[in-house]
Amino acid sequence: MAIAKLTDTERAAALAALPAWSLSADGLSITRTFRFADFAEAFGFMTRVAILAEKADHHPEWFNVYNRVEITLTTHDAGGLSKRDVALASAIDGFGA
């Protein structure tokens, strides 16, 4: 089953529900930066996200330096944002960073 890219209306609704996430300039991905007390906390967060992402079979693009983790979500198979990105972003937000 093909994964559908969100429509403009769906994307706007998703962003309204995910206020901590930012839409990329090209409109194809969302990003969020998380900051932690130290590297160990950041790495622990990344581990929790990795387990969640593996179970969802949907993996983030991310970058980590010391206490900062930058996450980008997009669905390459859909050519942009999909419901899978919204679901993963929402789940990540549930970790409360």
Side-chain angles (χ1 to χ4, degrees):
M1 182 174 173
I3 300 168
K5 186 166 115 175
L6 295 180
T7 65
D8 291 345
T9 302
E10 291 170 329
R11 185 176 62 208
L15 288 169
L18 298 167
W21 294 80
S22 300
L23 185 64
S24 64
D26 62 10
L28 299 178
S29 63
I30 53 175
T31 61
R32 181 171 176 193
T33 299
F34 297 84
R35 294 192 188 281
F36 301 91
D38 55 28
F39 178 74
E41 277 192 27
F43 194 84
F45 169 77
M46 290 176 71
T47 300
R48 291 189 306 276
V49 171
I51 292 167
L52 183 70
E54 190 65 19
K55 286 180 182 176
D57 192 30
H58 190 57
H59 305 96
E61 298 173 14
W62 54 15
F63 179 76
N64 165 245
V65 174
Y66 183 58
N67 69 335
R68 188 178 80 240
V69 178
E70 297 172 15
I71 298 179
T72 299
L73 299 174
T74 189
T75 302
H76 297 287
D77 292 343
L81 281 175
S82 76
K83 289 180 182 179
R84 296 181 83 190
D85 302 305
V86 174
L88 187 55
S90 181
I92 291 168
D93 283 352
F95 288 145

